Every structure is written in C-alpha cells, then in structure tokens.
Amino acid sequence: MVDVAEKEMDNPTFRSDTVLSDVHLHCPSKRHLMVRLNAVGQPVFLSYFKLLWNTDDSASEKHVGEATTEREHQGRSGDELCDKDSNLKKESELNSEGIQALLDDDGDLEVVRRPRSASDLEAEYLLRHRVHPVILMKGKEDAFEDEEKECSCDFIKIEHTMATPLEDVGKQVWRAAFLLADYILFKRDTFRCCSVLELGGGTGITSIIMGTVAKRVYCTDVGEDLLAMCEQNVALNKHLMEPGRGEVKVKELDWLKDEFCTDPEAAYSWSEDEIADVHDHCTVIMAADVFYDDDLTDALFRTLHRITHHLRNSCTVYLALEKRLNFTLRHMDVTCEAYSHFRNTLNDLENLQDRKIKYTAEPIKPDFCQFLVYERIEQL
C-alpha cells in the first residue's frame, strides 16, 4: 500500500472532477506527513500552519522590516526602487558590467529579474516554500516526535486531504478559512466568551481558531468521514484552548434538511439541550468558502434564515469567500458565476420583507493583520 501511495505521489493523476487547493502545496518550513487513508481511500495528510500571535502593530512592522532588511543586503532597497533617476543609474551600471556577467556556466544568457517593488519586499515575509509530501511508513508512528517537540502554541495542526472530488472539498483547507481566522484573531475581544455556530466547517480550522477566544463553538458540516476528521483536528489542537474555555463541539448540520439531526443513534447528532443552547445563546454565525455551488448557496441562506428566526439574541453572520474566476464558453469571457449568485442571494436576503427580523450586509475590508502564514490574494 505504501509503495502504491509513493508512486501516486511521484506521478499524481487527477480526474476531470478533481478539486485541488493550492494551500496544501505550500507549507512554511514544515513537512506534510501522510498519516492514513480515510474511509474512501483518500490519503490523509497532517500539516502544520504557522501562527503569528503578535497583535502589536509595531511587532508586525518589525517582522516585515526584518524581511525587508534581509532583501536590502542582497539588492537595492525599496526607497531606491521608487527613485526613477536611481533606477536608470542602476540599470546603466548593470549593463556596464558586460555580457559575461550575465552568462551561466554553459554560456547561456541568464535572464535578470526586474527589481522588486517595496510591496513585494514587504510581502516576502509571508511567502511559503514549496515542499513535497513525506509518506509515513508502517511502524513509523514515532516520526511525529520531532514535530511534536517543535510544535507549541505557534502552530495549528490540521489533518486534511490534498485533492478530492467536488463533493468532498470540505476535507481540504481553503484560503477564506485562513482569512476568517485572521479576522477572529484580529478582533478577538469581539468574540471573547461568545457562543458561535459555524456552517460548513470542513476540517475545522476556523472553529479551532474561534475556540481560542469564544466560550463555545458548534462546528457543523455533513458526512461522517468529514466530521470524524474535523473532530480529530479539534483534539489535535487542544493545546491552543484556554482552560475552562474554548469548547468546540462537532455536529452534523445538513442545509438540505429543515431540522437538526436529533437521532441518538446517529453520529454527531444534536441533543435537545444543545439545540436550546444555540437558540438561547448564539450571537455569532460564520462560514468560510462554502459558496461554490448555486444550489448549496441557496440552501445555506435558507438555513441561515431558519436558524436566525429561532435565536433569542441578535446575531452577526461572518461570511468569507474567494472569488474564483473562470472562462466560460457561455459568456465567452472570464466570469465569477458562483460569486455573482452569492451576491444576488445576499441582496435578496437584505430585501426580504420580514416583520420579525431585518438583515443588513456590510463588507469588511481585508486589510487587517495577518496571523496565519498563507498567501492572501486579491480575490479574497
């Protein structure tokens, strides 16, 4: 089995319905370890994601400054790049060195990259390094010992898959989950001691981060295999939770059904007390990167409408997503249909004539501090 897995990782093949998140292709100075195969035979990997706990702006600037200083030792500074006259001077100096300086060992011309802008220098601290998965051999469970020694409150550990069919995308980690986690850590006082419900929690990374500040978090999704992975991730990150706080409960919540699952024989079902706890105390609902299918988007908004109608307190809903652009033959243009449908449905919710409850939507600019090491792209 290991040999087959190694061969597949060396020469990966993807079907037409394969969905791949590039979050898993990069990880900061850490290895991917394949820990097992899940119920449907997908390799399950364990990744470590770096947490930047500094909330002080000066500390954040120091991190960026260190990265910039390192670059200045290797080339021109950002201030120099902004000076046109200096640019021309530097270019002429480069050309005056002669062609020999631009040839490699074989005599081929080496292409000199253009100087980086100041914004590129600041972003370099956040770049991740490409790494290759390491497959854990049988009998090598102690391979985690070195990782465990290094792991502290500076890392979050997440089990996940790297590529899945569309119906299993919750088993991967997505950028919008990181973005929402950043916002939670940036506004931690806002969420302190709250009761929170996450819809479409997937691997549970956002609920785990929320669990570091909130009183109780209900992390929900559908599918026993996915929920088991989520529950495992919650257990892996107990070290992040404050004593007596940060309870994260993994529960099933199917948007295509009108009620909570209360079957006592079903895994991850709800008790009557837990449902009452949500209705009586929940003040925050969140969801990250769940808007990729129009039918599911409609189902999510119906679920939001149904749940918020039963809440005793006013509630804030935080929705994070990545706008994914695609070229479509129907439009003969680059479009983002899933995002467009999301916006239209959100507008419909705002315009809903309801005597009991009023919905208002406000955009949040994603210019807050970054607390997790990932690539924050413009489409978030």
Side-chain angles (χ1 to χ4, degrees):
M1 180 180 70
V2 173
D3 292 337
V4 173
E6 284 180 341
K7 184 176 180 182
E8 289 178 352
M9 290 309 303
D10 291 337
N11 301 287
T13 56
F14 301 114
R15 302 194 306 270
S16 60
D17 64 343
T18 299
V19 180
L20 178 66
S21 169
D22 72 345
V23 167
H24 303 317
L25 299 181
H26 300 81
C27 195
S29 304
K30 288 290 173 182
R31 295 179 299 160
H32 290 295
L33 294 175
M34 192 185 96
V35 292
R36 57 187 169 84
L37 295 177
N38 64 15
V40 294
Q42 297 164 341
V44 175
F45 292 84
L46 178 66
S47 291
Y48 290 69
F49 295 101
K50 177 72 173 177
L51 281 163
L52 309 174
W53 287 108
N54 287 319
T55 56
D56 185 10
D57 289 339
S58 61
S60 300
E61 290 173 1
K62 179 182 177 183
H63 282 300
V64 175
E66 289 174 352
T68 306
T69 302
E70 184 179 346
R71 286 297 305 168
E72 286 173 347
H73 289 307
Q74 302 174 20
R76 295 186 291 270
S77 70
D79 292 337
E80 290 174 330
L81 297 177
C82 298
D83 190 333
K84 292 183 179 179
D85 293 336
S86 179
N87 264 344
L88 294 173
K89 181 180 178 181
K90 294 293 182 181
E91 287 178 7
S92 62
E93 290 176 358
L94 179 63
N95 293 335
S96 66
E97 292 177 2
I99 296 182
Q100 288 184 351
L102 302 179
L103 300 181
D104 63 14
D105 295 336
D106 298 328
D108 299 320
L109 182 66
E110 285 189 335
V111 178
V112 178
R113 294 184 181 273
R114 66 172 176 82
R116 297 189 177 194
S117 66
S119 60
D120 289 336
L121 295 175
E122 292 176 345
E124 180 151 352
Y125 175 72
L126 302 175
L127 291 179
R128 294 167 288 166
H129 304 290
R130 186 179 296 275
V131 295
H132 299 283
V134 176
I135 295 177
L136 198 62
M137 298 291 203
K138 280 188 176 181
K140 296 287 186 180
E141 287 79 3
D142 58 346
F144 291 104
E145 288 185 359
D146 292 338
E147 304 282 348
E148 292 287 354
K149 290 176 182 178
E150 296 179 16
C151 184
S152 64
C153 290
D154 293 332
F155 290 92
I156 182 170
K157 298 178 287 185
I158 296 294
E159 286 193 4
H160 60 84
T161 57
M162 287 193 177
T164 63
L166 183 62
E167 61 267 21
D168 285 334
V169 291
K171 296 174 183 176
Q172 300 187 55
V173 183
W174 301 91
R175 285 193 185 100
F178 286 115
L179 183 72
L180 185 52
D182 278 343
Y183 186 75
I184 293 166
L185 294 174
F186 181 66
K187 292 282 192 179
R188 63 183 68 191
D189 289 340
T190 301
F191 303 106
R192 200 171 297 281
C193 299
C194 287
S195 290
V196 182
L197 173 68
E198 181 175 14
L199 304 177
T203 61
I205 185 170
T206 310
S207 282
I208 291 167
I209 294 296
M210 180 64 84
T212 64
V213 291
K215 178 181 179 181
R216 183 174 296 110
V217 182
Y218 290 95
C219 181
T220 69
D221 215 308
V222 64
E224 188 171 341
D225 194 37
L226 172 58
L227 293 171
M229 176 185 288
C230 180
E231 191 172 53
Q232 169 69 1
N233 287 331
V234 172
L236 285 172
N237 292 281
K238 284 292 186 182
H239 61 285
L240 297 176
M241 312 297 177
E242 295 183 18
R245 193 186 298 166
E247 181 183 18
V248 179
K249 293 189 173 186
V250 179
K251 297 293 176 181
E252 177 184 320
L253 183 56
D254 191 342
W255 308 338
L256 300 178
K257 297 180 180 179
D258 294 333
E259 300 294 338
F260 291 93
C261 176
T262 56
D263 182 357
E265 296 185 1
Y268 308 103
S269 63
W270 296 74
S271 69
E272 295 296 336
D273 289 342
E274 288 168 338
I275 296 173
D277 182 42
V278 170
H279 290 161
D280 292 343
H281 302 109
C282 179
T283 57
V284 174
I285 298 177
M286 60 182 184
D289 245 333
V290 295
F291 305 103
Y292 56 88
D293 177 89
D294 291 355
D295 292 336
L296 287 178
T297 296
D298 294 339
L300 171 64
F301 277 99
R302 286 195 300 269
T303 300
L304 272 177
H305 184 262
R306 173 172 55 84
I307 291 175
T308 52
H309 260 66
H310 289 91
L311 297 183
R312 175 173 295 183
N313 303 300
S314 61
C315 179
T316 304
V317 183
Y318 295 89
L319 305 175
L321 70 159
E322 178 181 338
K323 293 183 284 187
R324 293 179 174 84
L325 304 175
N326 296 287
F327 179 84
T328 61
L329 293 175
R330 183 158 63 96
H331 295 94
M332 293 301 291
D333 196 4
V334 175
T335 62
C336 190
E337 294 188 346
Y339 176 74
S340 298
H341 186 77
F342 159 75
R343 292 296 310 185
N344 291 334
T345 310
L346 184 61
N347 291 336
D348 291 341
L349 188 66
E350 283 191 280
N351 296 327
L352 184 66
Q353 298 296 324
D354 192 318
R355 295 180 181 179
K356 182 179 179 180
I357 192 168
K358 172 66 176 176
Y359 300 92
T360 55
E362 298 178 7
I364 298 174
K365 292 183 179 180
D367 56 357
F368 41 85
C369 296
Q370 188 161 342
F371 292 85
L372 283 148
V373 179
Y374 67 102
E375 184 183 13
R376 190 185 284 186
I377 61 175
E378 294 180 358
Q379 289 74 30
L380 283 174

